[in-house]
Amino acid sequence: HVQLVESGGGSVQAGGSLTLNCTASSTSACMGWVRQAPGKEREGVAVEIPGGPQYADAVKGRFTISQDKGKNTVYLLMNSLKPEDTGMYFCAADWDCRKVTVAHTNFGYWGQGTQVTVS
């Protein structure tokens, strides 16, 4: 079982930046970020898998995912934030990356989420 703890969310004005952090209780082969806006389904934002990072089209060029495997931590640097980026951001992880893409975030382990509000 992997426990994930997110931090770094908050409120920011449009055009601003935030960095989300997620620390796992143990090493995971793949990690990523998924968000859920009010009244909408969860959507993959960015995943870090062995083949390289993948990003949702809506965040390409603005968000960067990175991983420090020595610290079991994954980061999401979010620049040029827009109001439509508002939502709860969840960190996720798994040992089996074969079932994980940014479009199909079939992770087995999830954090509690951290709120991001862009106004």
Side-chain angles (χ1 to χ4, degrees), residues 1 9 16 29 31 42 45 53 68 71 77 88 91 97 101 109 114:
H1 185 73
M31 300 182 75
R42 287 188 182 185
V45 175
D68 185 336
K71 296 181 179 180
L77 172 60
M88 187 69 76
C91 175
C97 302
T101 68
Y109 303 101
T114 184

Side-chain angles (χ1 to χ4, degrees), residues 36-59:
Q36 186 166 21
K40 295 187 177 181
E41 295 184 354
R42 287 188 182 185
E43 63 173 350
V45 175
V47 298
E48 184 76 80
I49 57 178
Q54 294 182 3
Y55 298 92
D57 287 344
V59 307

Side-chain angles (χ1 to χ4, degrees), residues 2 4 24 26-33 47-51 65 67 69 74 91-101 106-109:
V2 179
L4 303 168
S26 61
T27 301
S28 299
C30 48
M31 300 182 75
W33 293 92
V47 298
E48 184 76 80
I49 57 178
I65 188 171
Q67 192 174 2
K69 293 193 174 183
V74 65
C91 175
D94 208 305
W95 301 105
D96 185 356
C97 302
R98 294 173 296 175
K99 56 185 179 178
V100 173
T101 68
N106 297 314
F107 291 101
Y109 303 101

